[in-house]
Amino acid sequence: MISEDLHKMAHTLDGGNADFGEARLNLLQVIEEGNRALGKKCLLHRLVYVAKLHENLHDKRDLGSHYETKFKQWQNHFQGEGATGMLLVYPNHLIHLVESSTEMLSSVIRDLRDQSQHIGGAHLVSNSKILVLSSNVPTRLFNQWSFRVLNLPASRLEEYDTTEPIEKLAPECLALMLKLGTYLAKQPKVTLKNVMDSLHEKVPDLLIPQDLLGYLLNSKELCSPTEFLDRYDQPFDVILDQGEHFVSINRPVCFNAHLSIAHHTSPYTQDKVRILFWFP
């Protein structure tokens, strides 16, 4: 039965052509292709973080230039998935959604850590928090990476008034970003630029309130890039039921005390997203 299935697979991959041409696959090639497919890792993940703009940042467009340069460098280095997403720059804060590979997203987080620790030349943000990290994303929501500086009045320095826990606020913020991405994907290409330049006028209900971004940044329940990377980089030792030990190197630490996992099915993308909330 297995042999018959493999022959059928070979016939299908060959396009049903009975002629022995150069494009015909043999049984060994079919088996090897199946093994590669089984061992293939998920290449696409989604990161969302918030940050406070550095007080010495005079031109907010420098943020866009910084990431355009970094994404090109990282893609050339890792030779993997490119970056797509949206960077929204507020008067005092930003929120950034990036879709790419694990290596690319890890580089984004390390770059944030270096900026907070004043390492290197770029000091664009002074504080940042990892909002959500979605793994095993089946499809991209954005076709390209872009950024916009929102023409909004500066938020008043009032504390965001809410009784909702971070576990609820974080998915709500993600839902707004997904709604915005879906809205932009439906726009004709000829009018897309004009729509993106006037988001605060056309879809203000899809923009996360500035005060909420500040509230998230002040939350002690969300990880900073440094805290996230400390857990990501350190090895951990797990004791199994039979007293055996399982050691993992260079993997995120997922202890229950530090990690809450929620499964969120977005009505805007029809994708089931595994959202990781990292707590200190």
Side-chain angles (χ1 to χ4, degrees):
M1 180 63 69
I2 295 177
S3 178
E4 181 180 351
D5 292 339
L6 289 173
H7 280 292
K8 289 181 179 179
M9 186 184 299
H11 181 73
T12 301
L13 292 174
D14 187 36
N17 189 358
D19 297 332
F20 291 90
E22 293 182 358
R24 183 177 178 83
L25 298 177
N26 59 39
L27 186 58
L28 177 60
Q29 290 173 319
V30 174
I31 295 174
E32 290 176 343
E33 183 65 27
N35 289 337
R36 282 194 292 269
L38 290 174
K40 183 174 63 177
K41 66 178 181 179
C42 177
L43 298 177
L44 188 61
H45 310 276
R46 184 179 291 133
L47 168 70
V48 183
Y49 67 87
V50 296
K52 181 176 177 57
L53 305 186
H54 197 281
E55 59 182 5
N56 294 330
L57 177 63
H58 302 295
D59 189 346
K60 296 181 177 62
R61 292 174 296 181
D62 291 344
L63 283 161
S65 300
H66 173 78
Y67 282 108
E68 286 174 347
T69 301
K70 286 294 186 180
F71 286 146
K72 290 179 181 178
Q73 293 176 351
W74 292 330
Q75 187 171 6
N76 290 335
H77 177 73
F78 296 117
Q79 296 295 318
E81 293 286 325
T84 57
M86 169 70 73
L87 169 63
L88 295 179
V89 184
Y90 290 72
N92 298 315
H93 306 90
L94 67 81
I95 183 165
H96 195 184
L97 184 153
V98 189
E99 301 167 324
S100 190
S101 63
T102 301
E103 293 82 5
M104 186 83 83
L105 298 186
S106 175
S107 296
V108 172
I109 297 174
R110 294 181 192 281
D111 180 65
L112 286 172
R113 177 200 59 188
D114 292 346
Q115 292 190 52
S116 65
Q117 297 179 353
H118 304 290
I119 300 175
H123 303 304
L124 305 175
V125 299
S126 59
N127 182 28
S128 55
K129 291 292 180 69
I130 308 300
L131 190 59
V132 292
L133 176 63
S134 306
S135 62
N136 302 327
V137 178
T139 57
R140 293 181 184 269
L141 180 59
F142 294 88
N143 294 323
Q144 61 184 5
W145 183 87
S146 58
F147 79 98
R148 283 297 183 275
V149 177
L150 300 176
N151 185 19
L152 296 172
S155 175
R156 292 175 298 174
L157 298 178
E158 295 180 358
E159 185 176 353
Y160 185 77
D161 186 17
T162 181
T163 58
E164 300 291 348
I166 291 295
E167 294 93 324
K168 185 174 182 180
L169 291 174
E172 289 178 352
C173 292
L174 176 61
L176 285 176
M177 292 296 288
L178 296 180
K179 281 185 180 181
L180 179 60
T182 303
Y183 170 80
L184 294 175
K186 294 178 180 179
Q187 302 305 308
K189 290 185 178 180
V190 293
T191 61
L192 181 59
K193 183 180 184 301
N194 291 333
V195 171
M196 293 183 64
D197 289 339
S198 57
L199 291 175
H200 61 289
E201 296 176 353
K202 294 185 178 298
V203 286
D205 55 323
L206 298 185
L207 299 179
I208 300 171
Q210 300 180 72
D211 291 343
L212 177 53
L213 295 180
Y215 178 82
L216 294 173
L217 278 170
N218 292 327
S219 172
K220 297 181 179 180
E221 296 176 293
L222 294 173
C223 271
S224 68
T226 300
E227 292 168 334
F228 180 94
L229 291 170
D230 285 345
R231 297 195 178 105
Y232 185 92
D233 291 333
Q234 73 178 25
F236 65 94
D237 208 345
V238 178
I239 301 177
L240 304 180
D241 292 340
Q242 301 299 323
E244 299 176 352
H245 286 72
F246 173 78
V247 178
S248 176
I249 305 296
N250 293 331
R251 292 294 184 271
V253 177
C254 299
F255 295 122
N256 290 333
H258 303 301
L259 179 66
S260 173
I261 300 177
H263 292 279
H264 172 67
T265 303
S266 169
Y268 316 108
T269 62
Q270 300 303 316
D271 295 337
K272 189 173 184 181
V273 181
R274 186 168 184 258
I275 304 172
L276 307 183
F277 303 93
W278 293 85
F279 302 103

